[in-house]
Structure formats: C-alpha cells, structure tokens
Amino acid sequence: MTGNRGPGAPGLTSALALMVVCGLLAAPRTSATVDSSKPRIGSSKPRPASNASPRFRQRSRPTSTTPLRFRLEAAENSSEAVHDGRRIRGRFTVKVNVQNLNDRPVTISGIGRNGPGLRLLSPLRRPPRTLQPEQTSGFELKYRVTGCGAVPVGDWPIPIRVKANGGERTAYAPLTMTAVNPVNDEGEGESDGQPWQTVLTAQVCDL
C-alpha cells in the first residue's frame, strides 16, 4: 500500500499546483474586465451641446450696421426778432416732416440738437413715436438765435434718435429750404436747396 501511494503523490501535487496557478492567472483577468468598464483617468467625456465652443454661439443682441435712412421736408415755419440796439434777439420755429425710408418700423425718441449760435428750445427727448416703412410724421423744432454770425453756413443735418436693441441709435438727415433773396430794386429771387438753418436764421438776423 505504501509503495502505491508514492507514484500518485507527485501527480496530485502537480495537479493542485496547476489549479492554483490557473486561479491566480484568472483573477487579474476578471479584475481587468471589471476595470475596463470604468472611465480611464484622462479620458474625455462627451460634452453637452450647450457647452459648445463660444465662437459657435449666436449673439443674443446682434448689432445692426445698416444705416438708418430718413427723408426730411420743411412743412411750415415762422420767426420773430427784436433789435435792442446792441444785438438781435430772435427765434424761429419749423415743422419738419420725417419719412421713414427703412424697410422696417422705427421708433423715434428724439430729434434736433444745439449748435453754434443756435439753442434748441423744443425738448431733445420726445414721447416714442413709431413710423412704419414709408410713413411720414411731423415734428416741430423751436430755436433761439444766440449769435447770428456763429450759425453754421453749410450743411447742418438734423439728428434723429431711434430706439434699437434696448439702446439708441442716431441718424443724421439733411434738410434744405427755398430762400427768398433780393436780386435787385424791382423784385426778389428764390434760391433753392439752401441749408435750413441758414434760411431761417436770415429771417431773424437780416432786419
């Protein structure tokens, strides 16, 4: 009996050793399989669409670069002047028809400005007034002449303030008028296309 056990013992030992080795080799494989399902350090996760690069985001308030266009026409005007012996004190009023030449509605919030020799008496700010495309609306401008020789002689466009994108934009539109000028002792002549402030100031200053 003792002699029969000797040859079997090494085989059993070898089989047990082989099982142990296989078990050790299988354990890391199981662990590796589990670890592979976890995100590796440094690996990138897909970003949500809302976190896209800022350069692809659309601005919430795009700034329009399209010029604002208006046509101005003087409807009527009046003036008064007093000469106190030293200088002329006078003022004039002009009603300006403003036509919207843009392809969209615009809201006008102000019109007019002060300038050399001229002080604006009517308010710079006006109650908002919306004009549809091609629509025309009248605005009254009142000025006091503070210095006849200081009033601009050339073109002096009228500023029109328009509400836009929560703020305000300013467009400048020219206005010309017909001036009545004496040409000789027998009559008078008309001169078309003269700057509006030149024509109206002359009514006050040329006494």
Side-chain angles (χ1 to χ4, degrees):
M1 297 294 292
T2 305
N4 294 334
R5 292 179 183 177
L12 179 60
T13 304
S14 300
L16 293 174
L18 181 60
M19 292 176 63
V20 171
V21 172
C22 291
L24 293 175
L25 292 175
R29 290 179 184 175
T30 304
S31 175
T33 302
V34 174
D35 292 342
S36 64
S37 63
K38 299 179 180 179
R40 296 181 181 180
I41 298 176
S43 63
S44 59
K45 294 183 180 180
R47 295 182 177 180
S50 59
N51 292 334
S53 177
R55 62 179 179 177
F56 296 108
R57 293 178 183 175
Q58 191 174 13
R59 294 182 179 178
S60 58
R61 291 184 179 179
T63 302
S64 175
T65 57
T66 304
L68 295 171
R69 298 180 300 116
F70 297 94
R71 179 183 291 120
L72 305 187
E73 181 181 17
E76 57 187 39
N77 66 85
S78 61
S79 60
E80 59 182 13
V82 175
H83 196 295
D84 61 3
R86 293 178 300 174
R87 63 177 182 174
I88 298 174
R89 301 178 182 272
R91 64 180 65 187
F92 61 78
T93 301
V94 57
K95 182 179 180 181
V96 180
N97 288 333
V98 180
Q99 183 180 19
N100 177 18
L101 299 181
N102 303 282
D103 57 1
R104 62 187 184 279
V106 295
T107 301
I108 297 177
S109 58
I111 183 172
R113 59 173 166 171
N114 295 308
L118 295 173
R119 180 183 177 186
L120 183 64
L121 301 178
S122 51
L124 283 171
R125 302 291 176 181
R126 306 292 181 98
R129 190 183 306 183
T130 299
L131 299 184
Q132 300 298 323
E134 302 299 329
Q135 184 179 358
T136 300
S137 184
F139 295 85
E140 189 175 75
L141 296 177
K142 294 182 179 181
Y143 277 93
R144 175 180 296 159
V145 180
T146 59
C148 292
V151 177
V153 177
D155 292 336
W156 198 53
I158 296 176
I160 303 172
R161 284 166 285 280
V162 176
K163 290 183 175 295
N165 295 331
E168 194 174 73
R169 294 179 60 187
T170 302
Y172 291 85
L175 175 64
T176 59
M177 298 178 61
T178 299
V180 178
N181 303 316
V183 292
N184 51 44
D185 296 337
E186 297 179 358
E188 295 179 340
E190 292 185 349
S191 182
D192 294 333
Q194 298 298 311
W196 66 278
Q197 80 284 353
T198 302
V199 175
L200 296 174
T201 301
Q203 296 179 6
V204 174
C205 297
D206 295 348
L207 296 178

